[in-house]
Amino acid sequence: MQRPRALLWVMLLAAWEAAWGQLRYSVPEEMPKGSFVGDVAKDLRLQLPELSHRGMRILNKGRTQYFALDGKTGHLVTAERIDREQLCRLVEKCALRCELIVEGEMQVYRIEVEITDINDNTPSFKEIELEERISEMTAPGSRFPLPDAHDPDSGRNSLQSYELSGDEHFSLAVQTGPGGDQRPELVLAKALDREEAAFHELVLRAMDGGDPARTGTARIRVTVLDANDNAPVFSQAEYTVRVPEDVSVGSTLLIVTATDADEGVNGHVEYSLKKVSDRTSNIFHLDSESGEISVFRILDYEEGDSYELEVQARDGGGLFDAAKVTIIVTDVNDNAPEISMRSALSEISEDAPSGTVVALLHVEDHDSGPNGEVRCSLDGDVPFRLENSHGSYYRVVTARELDREQVSEYNVTVRAADGGSPALQSSAVLALRVLDVNDNAPVFAEERYSARLAENNAAGALVLTVRATDADWGQNARVRYRLSEGRVRGAPLSSYVSVQAETGALYALRSLDYEQVRELRLWVRAEDGGAPALSSNVSVLLLVVDENDNAPQVLYPPPAALRAGSAAAFEVVPRSAEAGYLVAKVVAVDADAGRNAWLSYELVQASEPALFRVGLHSGEVRTARAVSERDAAKQRVVAVVKDHGQPALSATATLHVVLAESLQEALPELSDRDAVSELMSDVNLILVVSLSIVSLLFVSTVIFVFFFKFRQSRKPPIFITSDKELYSTLGSKAPYNYCSSTLPLPYSYEVCLASESGQKDFTFLRPGAAAVPAGLQSADPGSGTHTGQDPPSPGSSGKASSPLAVVVSHSSLSKRSFQAL
Ligand SMILES: *[C@@H]1O[C@H](CO)[C@@H](O)[C@H](O)[C@H]1NC(C)=O
Ligand SMILES: *[C@@H]1O[C@H](CO)[C@@H](O)[C@H](O)[C@H]1NC(C)=O
């Protein structure tokens, strides 16, 4: 193309020259001022002097004076530095025209100066830093436009080629545009991988064809955009973790991790559980962000010993990985054995035989292995034992017979322990009440009871209370008291005493008289309410205590009341009697006992007080001094007989004494016949109940001899039968009493027993006689046959049932007294 164009220019120039006589020059741009352009003078064949005075001028077109003419040399020179790129930006051939006017000749010459290009510009890019973003997924061969460079020079000096350097992933392609311009393009030569290199630095060079060539560069930074080309990857394909079942809720079991090489959303991994049953999802919780698997609720080995989960890791681009998680639950001894009573008695009779089944219970432990092995036992020392019936069933049976009276209820504790370590245990209590059986008789608090009861008690007085307890329970322990049958003095015992059935209080039903009943022996029976009832007896002894309720009774001398209408008795004392002469003996009895019957005698009144004295205990009336002539013939002595009761009771005895040498002498002293008979009757009427057995053999023998002698020579003394009053006042017991307590022993008495009927049916008792008349013998208070109330049956004298009168006379006195009759 250049060559034809140049040729055209030559032809045109020649033509122009021919026609116009034009001058043509060329000069490179950017020449300094004054640089030579062409030798105008020579070319116009002008003489130099001519030239100078002909007045030659250069007339430039346009305002700027680019050229000037050097007058001396006739050379055309540059008047300015000329920049071709400035003068003719887009014009291929850049020429400046000017005219040379030769004034002398009036000639005009046209001069055309072509400005030729020099390589004074460098190709340049608009931006020297470029940023390119390319996805790593872009296919190789893809093209990306690059900015082109610019070089204002022309021709070879303008932009000629591009060059790319820096990275093997890229290459350069240059397209020629419609205007022939070059367009560089970036070609992806090799697939990118952001994960390998996220950035690529490239350098684009633009070169012109000058000599030397100039080069412009631009830096291109290729950023590789991430694509989701990496799936998450779990660190392990399978996770296995062992946890004890008692792991606390919320604790983390393990952390699954998956990594994704991508970045951003593509590299963001979320975890999820896949294919989980409801059951499992209730138990475990997977944190979607952290991958933590934690327990959501309490684990139970017995419920499930292992779990399999599938976890999935998914990135933002939807790529995923899955892994298997196996959670193995290990057993912990967290279950205590459970005891359940399947059936149980709440009551058992105390006579249930050994081996009676009381309860059936079931024991189980939800743990496994040794943790679930259960051993059962009973607590304490109880009369029960455990029997394994089968498997996990146990029976509680009685080991021996029970006794409600010892233990009335049991809390049997069944204990079950497993084999864990530490072992867990649990217990169940079996409450068992022992039912009563009437196996205990009432037992009296005392072995025997005795009580003392003062006589003359009020009827209904409480005597004592017996008490019996029964170890049984309820009705079986309800004790009732009853009096056993018996008789006292012919009357049923129940008329004397009664027992209150509920309380055991013993009451006297009537007033008791010691002189009649001295003691009561009875049995009280206690009986419980069982069926059959059990009972026991206890003996009760009631001792009647004497009270001083009987005054002493004077038997001799006969009391005045008994002598009513009859003569008084006299004692004859010889005037020759010395001091100490025994005048008489006051004989008194007291129906009471002990101190109440202990009598003492005192002289209270005497016509001649100094003459007599009375023995305090003996009752003997003796002369205190020798009788003198001055003493009156008739003397009266009053003695008082006192017992020792509290208060003491007393009686008086009046003794009439006649001081005479003989009874005949004394007779005048006795007022009349009546008096004598009265005396007789008084003497005979004295009824004595009690007789002291003469104890001293010596005395009785002497008396016996005397008695025998008198009996042969004399008629027996006449006894006057007693009247009823006397009889009744003494009672059948009297002789007994007198024998025991009242009469002093050194004296002997003649005793005559006479029946009341008045028949002369007397019996003498001789002192010391071995045989005691039946009547006396049977006068035992306990026999109860001789009561004062019982009327005598006629004709039965001498028999045990006959009331008897006993006459006692002082032998030494009666000898004299009766002689007088
Ligand atoms: C048995 O247990 C009950 C209730 O705990 C209690 O009232 C009772 O006293 C206990 N009996 C014995 C004999 O321990
Ligand atoms: C108790 O009394 C009953 C009837 O009186 C009698 O049969 C029984 O033998 C007595 N028992 C004793 C231990 O005295």
Side-chain angles (χ1 to χ4, degrees):
M1 201 72 188
Q2 302 281 41
R3 199 168 295 159
R5 197 184 291 177
L7 194 63
L8 182 64
W9 276 110
V10 171
M11 281 161 51
L12 282 172
L13 188 65
W16 188 77
E17 277 179 355
W20 294 88
Q22 266 185 348
L23 292 175
R24 252 184 237 112
Y25 301 100
S26 78
V27 65
E29 60 174 335
E30 306 284 351
M31 294 300 281
K33 190 179 168 182
S35 296
F36 171 78
V37 177
D39 190 352
V40 174
K42 187 181 158 205
D43 291 343
L44 289 177
R45 286 162 207 121
L46 295 173
Q47 299 305 321
L48 272 176
E50 209 177 319
L51 210 63
S52 52
H53 17 282
R54 284 181 191 174
M56 284 170 48
R57 276 192 295 130
I58 290 293
L59 196 69
N60 283 287
K61 292 213 171 151
R63 286 203 249 132
T64 318
Q65 202 69 32
Y66 289 108
F67 301 104
L69 191 71
D70 186 342
K72 284 178 198 158
T73 60
H75 291 174
L76 188 64
V77 295
T78 55
E80 284 286 323
R81 179 180 281 261
I82 302 167
D83 184 2
R84 196 193 75 91
E85 283 78 26
Q86 200 179 359
L87 277 177
C88 17
R89 186 171 301 267
L90 295 169
V91 180
E92 187 72 21
K93 183 176 165 67
C94 186
L96 289 173
R97 286 185 190 85
C98 60
E99 286 170 355
L100 175 71
I101 297 168
V102 182
E103 287 175 359
E105 290 181 15
M106 296 299 245
Q107 288 265 136
V108 176
Y109 301 93
R110 292 188 182 184
I111 299 170
E112 191 179 82
V113 180
E114 189 187 358
I115 309 297
T116 59
D117 186 41
I118 65 163
N119 195 17
D120 59 344
N121 284 292
T122 303
S124 65
F125 292 93
K126 230 178 234 159
E127 297 163 60
I128 58 162
E129 292 282 340
L130 285 178
E131 181 88 34
E132 195 71 47
R133 302 169 74 85
I134 301 175
S135 166
E136 60 175 327
M137 294 302 282
T138 308
S142 301
R143 290 158 179 260
F144 302 91
L146 291 175
D148 42 4
H150 183 69
D151 189 340
D153 293 330
S154 68
R156 286 199 57 80
N157 290 334
S158 70
L159 182 72
Q160 293 299 309
S161 62
Y162 289 98
E163 209 181 83
L164 186 70
S165 65
D167 199 288
E168 51 174 354
H169 287 89
F170 297 96
S171 66
L172 185 72
V174 179
Q175 300 282 330
T176 308
D181 54 329
Q182 291 188 332
R183 292 180 188 166
E185 286 178 351
L186 189 65
V187 179
L188 183 65
K190 205 175 147 193
L192 294 174
D193 186 358
R194 191 201 63 80
E195 288 68 39
E196 206 176 277
F199 301 100
H200 296 273
E201 300 284 345
L202 304 174
V203 176
L204 181 63
R205 278 194 187 81
M207 289 161 294
D208 59 18
D211 186 22
R214 288 178 177 259
T215 307
T217 58
R219 298 168 60 85
I220 303 171
R221 182 183 168 88
V222 178
T223 304
V224 183
L225 297 181
D226 183 52
N228 192 25
D229 54 348
N230 287 287
V233 177
F234 276 107
S235 59
Q236 283 170 252
E238 219 175 291
Y239 296 88
T240 303
V241 64
R242 302 173 73 86
V243 289
E245 59 175 330
D246 61 351
V247 68
S248 60
V249 171
S251 52
T252 302
L253 304 185
L254 81 159
I255 301 177
V256 293
T257 46
T259 49
D260 192 315
D262 294 325
E263 65 167 6
V265 171
N266 294 332
H268 182 82
V269 179
E270 285 195 353
Y271 301 93
S272 62
L273 285 175
K274 225 191 138 211
K275 280 204 291 180
V276 282
S277 60
D278 281 354
R279 192 178 71 109
T280 318
S281 66
N282 284 341
I283 298 176
F284 301 105
H285 176 255
L286 172 64
D287 190 291
S288 62
E289 290 298 325
S290 65
E292 272 183 18
I293 296 179
S294 54
V295 271
F296 208 58
R297 64 166 182 79
I298 293 167
L299 292 179
D300 188 356
Y301 175 84
E302 287 67 37
E303 206 174 278
D305 56 357
S306 79
Y307 298 90
E308 285 197 355
L309 313 173
E310 193 179 320
V311 290
Q312 205 176 57
R314 183 181 285 268
D315 65 19
L319 297 180
F320 67 90
D321 190 16
K324 201 170 105 177
V325 175
T326 306
I327 297 170
I328 298 172
V329 181
T330 56
D331 188 42
V332 170
N333 192 21
D334 57 348
N335 286 288
E338 283 172 16
I339 305 175
S340 51
M341 292 276 178
R342 288 295 147 89
S343 72
L345 299 181
S346 62
E347 299 175 333
I348 183 171
S349 175
E350 61 176 321
D351 62 353
S354 159
T356 305
V357 179
V358 172
L360 179 67
L361 46 95
H362 181 253
V363 180
E364 70 179 331
D365 192 306
H366 292 299
D367 291 321
S368 57
N371 291 343
E373 282 167 13
V374 184
R375 278 165 292 112
C376 277
S377 61
L378 293 182
D379 262 13
D381 179 27
V382 286
F384 300 95
R385 61 184 150 83
L386 272 178
E387 277 181 2
N388 194 324
S389 62
H390 48 74
S392 47
Y393 279 89
Y394 288 87
R395 282 187 308 218
V396 180
V397 299
T398 55
R400 52 179 192 264
E401 284 210 353
L402 307 177
D403 186 0
R404 193 204 64 82
E405 285 70 40
Q406 276 177 8
V407 185
S408 64
E409 62 173 1
Y410 289 96
N411 285 339
V412 183
T413 305
V414 184
R415 204 168 283 286
D418 62 23
S421 116
L424 294 178
Q425 59 173 25
S426 58
S427 62
V429 176
L430 175 67
L432 202 59
R433 220 151 46 80
V434 183
L435 295 186
D436 187 46
V437 166
N438 192 23
D439 54 354
N440 286 284
V443 175
F444 279 99
E446 288 170 40
E447 206 175 327
R448 58 182 67 84
Y449 288 87
S450 67
R452 301 168 71 83
L453 173 66
E455 61 172 336
N456 304 320
N457 58 293
L462 174 67
V463 179
L464 85 163
T465 303
V466 295
R467 172 153 299 280
T469 50
D470 192 308
D472 290 323
W473 184 83
Q475 196 66 19
N476 293 338
R478 234 187 85 187
V479 179
R480 293 185 153 269
Y481 303 91
R482 221 147 35 89
L483 202 60
S484 290
E485 290 297 309
R487 296 185 78 79
V488 176
R489 293 167 63 86
L493 187 61
S494 56
S495 68
Y496 281 85
V497 289
S498 78
V499 173
Q500 197 173 6
E502 281 82 15
T503 61
L506 198 72
Y507 296 100
L509 289 183
R510 53 164 87 166
S511 180
L512 294 176
D513 185 2
Y514 174 84
E515 286 71 36
Q516 286 179 11
V517 181
R518 293 191 160 194
E519 60 175 29
L520 288 176
R521 285 184 186 277
L522 46 100
W523 288 90
V524 174
R525 183 181 178 84
E527 191 172 271
D528 64 24
L534 296 176
S535 66
S536 57
N537 300 338
V538 74
S539 85
V540 178
L541 175 62
L542 283 188
L543 292 171
V544 182
V545 178
D546 183 47
E547 273 191 344
N548 194 21
D549 56 348
N550 289 286
Q553 276 187 0
V554 179
L555 300 185
Y556 187 89
L562 299 182
R563 293 184 326 238
S566 63
F570 291 92
E571 302 296 332
V572 179
V573 174
R575 283 195 175 271
S576 60
E578 294 298 311
Y581 179 85
L582 177 63
V583 179
K585 178 172 168 56
V586 178
V587 178
V589 292
D590 194 310
D592 293 320
R595 290 184 66 83
N596 295 337
W598 183 24
L599 301 181
S600 59
Y601 305 85
E602 271 175 56
L603 186 67
V604 289
Q605 201 185 349
S607 13
E608 196 70 49
L611 187 56
F612 302 103
R613 55 178 168 85
V614 178
L616 181 63
H617 297 298
S618 60
E620 288 171 350
V621 180
R622 291 178 185 269
T623 53
R625 56 171 169 81
V627 178
S628 76
E629 289 302 323
R630 288 189 305 277
D631 290 332
K634 277 172 83 176
Q635 298 280 348
R636 186 164 162 273
V637 176
V638 179
V640 67
V641 186
K642 258 198 282 183
D643 61 24
H644 285 73
Q646 287 290 341
L649 296 177
S650 60
T652 55
T654 306
L655 202 64
H656 298 275
V657 180
V658 176
L659 301 176
E661 281 309 325
S662 62
L663 192 58
Q664 285 76 12
E665 189 188 325
L667 274 176
E669 305 293 338
L670 306 174
S671 58
D672 53 11
R673 180 75 189 150
D674 283 352
V676 175
S677 65
E678 186 186 51
L679 167 68
M680 290 298 115
S681 87
D682 281 353
V683 169
N684 292 328
L685 276 174
I686 293 169
L687 295 176
V688 179
V689 180
S690 177
L691 174 62
S692 155
I693 303 301
V694 178
S695 58
L696 292 176
L697 190 59
F698 164 73
V699 173
S700 66
T701 309
V702 170
I703 297 299
F704 177 74
V705 169
F706 271 101
F707 176 75
F708 195 73
K709 190 178 158 195
F710 279 120
R711 188 183 155 91
Q712 282 179 332
S713 58
R714 287 197 189 96
K715 288 194 296 180
I718 300 156
F719 289 91
I720 300 162
T721 57
S722 65
D723 61 39
K724 276 183 185 170
E725 286 158 275
L726 179 61
Y727 170 81
S728 64
T729 54
L730 288 177
S732 62
K733 237 168 25 172
Y736 182 86
N737 284 344
Y738 304 154
C739 288
S740 63
S741 59
T742 310
L743 297 180
L745 287 174
Y747 301 96
S748 177
Y749 301 92
E750 287 174 351
V751 176
C752 175
L753 301 178
S755 70
E756 190 214 23
S757 57
Q759 293 163 349
K760 309 291 185 214
D761 186 8
F762 296 128
T763 309
F764 272 102
L765 292 176
R766 289 179 193 161
V772 175
L776 278 175
Q777 259 179 344
S778 59
D780 188 295
S783 69
T785 49
H786 292 263
T787 59
Q789 288 85 345
D790 283 347
S793 42
S796 61
S797 58
K799 286 170 114 183
S801 62
S802 301
L804 293 176
V806 179
V807 176
V808 178
S809 69
H810 187 259
S811 60
S812 63
L813 294 177
S814 61
K815 177 176 75 181
R816 254 175 290 222
S817 305
F818 295 145
Q819 267 176 342
L821 295 174

